[in-house]
Amino acid sequence: MPPDASARPPATSPRTLVVAAGRPPRTQGAPVNPPVVLSSTYVSQGVPGPDELLYARIGTETWHPFEQALAELEGTPLPALVTGSGMAAIAAAFSLVPPGGRLVLPRHCYQVTIGHAHDLAQRSGVTVDLVDIDDTAAVLAAVAGGGERRPADLLWVESPTNPMLEVADLPALAAGAHAAGALVGVDNTFATPLVQRPFEHGADVVVHSVTKYLAGHSDVVLGAALATDPALHARLHDYRTVHGAVAGPFEVWLALRGLRTLALRVERAQANAAELARRLADHPGVAVVRHPSLPDDPGHERAARLMAGFGSILGVRPVGGRAAADAVVAAVRLWVPATSLGGVESSLERRRRFATESPTVPDDLLRLSVGIEDVEDLWRDLDAALRAV
């Protein structure tokens, strides 16, 4: 059974929930942390009850504390559904699009998300439309369809987008998509529920790559999907169960342990990112810097209005193009040249090194995931690399 959230005093701040949610019952002699249970199957005879543990592919007591904690953070009464990876969670969400249906998603979003959408197009006849997610009118026109195009079944949103950091008007998109009969799914990995809670803006489904900020230490690969509607939740749960997109208990326990420091990590990383963005905007070796904290950033107004922060991902295009970008990656000593993001360590990469990255992403764009190190150390390393180039 999931932990009983009503058994503890109410916590209204997400900064408190990350610490308090998903704890065992507070009884004399009880542990303060949930245990890891390593069992693939459970004692069972006769007809199992609706909440009975039966087989670990369906659910385990080690998943439940994390699933409950994330649900409380995102603001849904239904438990999150932890999955074996972020892509497993996205695949579960995309399974809501019927064969022959329509899927609208950002032109700039996680490259494997786009790849999976095109795979659905080939296998299931799903029509895929790529849009500029920060152009609200164009997005809603695509969702509405018209002519030979049926209305979309699912509008997929990243905000900010990966790696271009475009910010969507999520309330307007959700309202318009629902008016057209479409579901709205949001990948909330970049923002985390401490910075953005998509259900409050009308989302139907929210997913996370738990690998990133939620677990926070670059040591697990996990995902999660959430819904507020019981019917949608049941469909996502059935997809996870039937497709076997499940997580190991120890990895989920590690993710819950990582979640405990999420508020501290997000606060520090966002502050570091904003300070670095401010300095990079005036750096002679930088042609373009993107971060919603900058007053002249195209996403600043929306982020300030809709989010509780600006995130800790930067987009940087150095003077000198692709060769300069590769040289910066090679020159840094504290920043880690690596893909993925959201760990305590700062990392960077040139995104178009992947052939599958969107062709409209600039060839020289560096995506910087800012960690929790001392900002002066981060700046000295990055500044030296830019000046060396």
Side-chain angles (χ1 to χ4, degrees), residues 132-141 168-169 172-173 302:
D132 295 315
I133 205 68
D134 56 349
D135 185 340
T136 303
V139 173
L140 293 181
D169 190 340
L173 292 181
R302 284 180 182 169

Side-chain angles (χ1 to χ4, degrees), residues 208-286:
H208 286 273
S209 175
V210 177
T211 309
K212 312 302 193 297
Y213 291 102
L214 299 185
H217 292 78
S218 302
D219 53 8
V220 298
V221 175
L222 290 173
L226 304 96
T228 56
D229 177 72
L232 286 179
H233 186 272
R235 290 172 66 183
L236 295 171
H237 184 278
D238 288 348
Y239 181 94
R240 180 183 71 175
T241 301
V242 171
H243 288 78
V246 298
F250 187 65
E251 286 80 2
V252 179
W253 184 88
L254 281 175
L256 181 61
R257 185 173 70 164
L259 193 70
R260 300 305 185 201
T261 60
L262 178 65
L264 296 174
R265 290 186 284 106
V266 166
E267 180 181 0
R268 176 62 171 266
Q270 285 196 131
N272 282 353
E275 178 61 20
L276 292 175
R278 184 185 67 81
R279 297 184 188 187
L280 288 167
D282 295 324
H283 197 286
V286 173

Side-chain angles (χ1 to χ4, degrees), residues 102 104 135-145 151-157 169-185 201-204:
R102 282 188 66 232
V104 175
D135 185 340
T136 303
V139 173
L140 293 181
V143 170
D153 296 279
L154 175 65
L155 169 63
W156 192 250
V157 180
D169 190 340
L170 190 50
L173 292 181
H178 289 156
L183 296 172
V184 177
H201 298 307
D204 300 293

Side-chain angles (χ1 to χ4, degrees), residues 3 8 17 20-24 32-34 64-66 68-69 72 256 260:
R8 65 167 194 272
L17 282 175
R23 297 283 185 183
V32 297
N33 292 310
H64 291 159
F66 177 80
Q68 182 62 43
E72 290 188 56
L256 181 61
R260 300 305 185 201

Side-chain angles (χ1 to χ4, degrees), residues 94 97 100-109 113-122 125-133 135 138-158 182 358:
F94 281 13
V97 181
R102 282 188 66 232
L103 170 61
V104 175
L105 72 163
R107 188 181 320 282
H108 301 132
C109 66
T113 301
I114 296 176
H116 181 57
H118 288 313
D119 184 58
L120 283 177
Q122 294 177 357
V126 171
T127 300
V128 176
D129 286 324
L130 300 178
V131 294
D132 295 315
I133 205 68
D135 185 340
V139 173
L140 293 181
V143 170
E148 297 182 356
R149 294 192 308 170
R150 56 181 279 175
D153 296 279
L154 175 65
L155 169 63
W156 192 250
V157 180
E158 282 185 4
S358 173

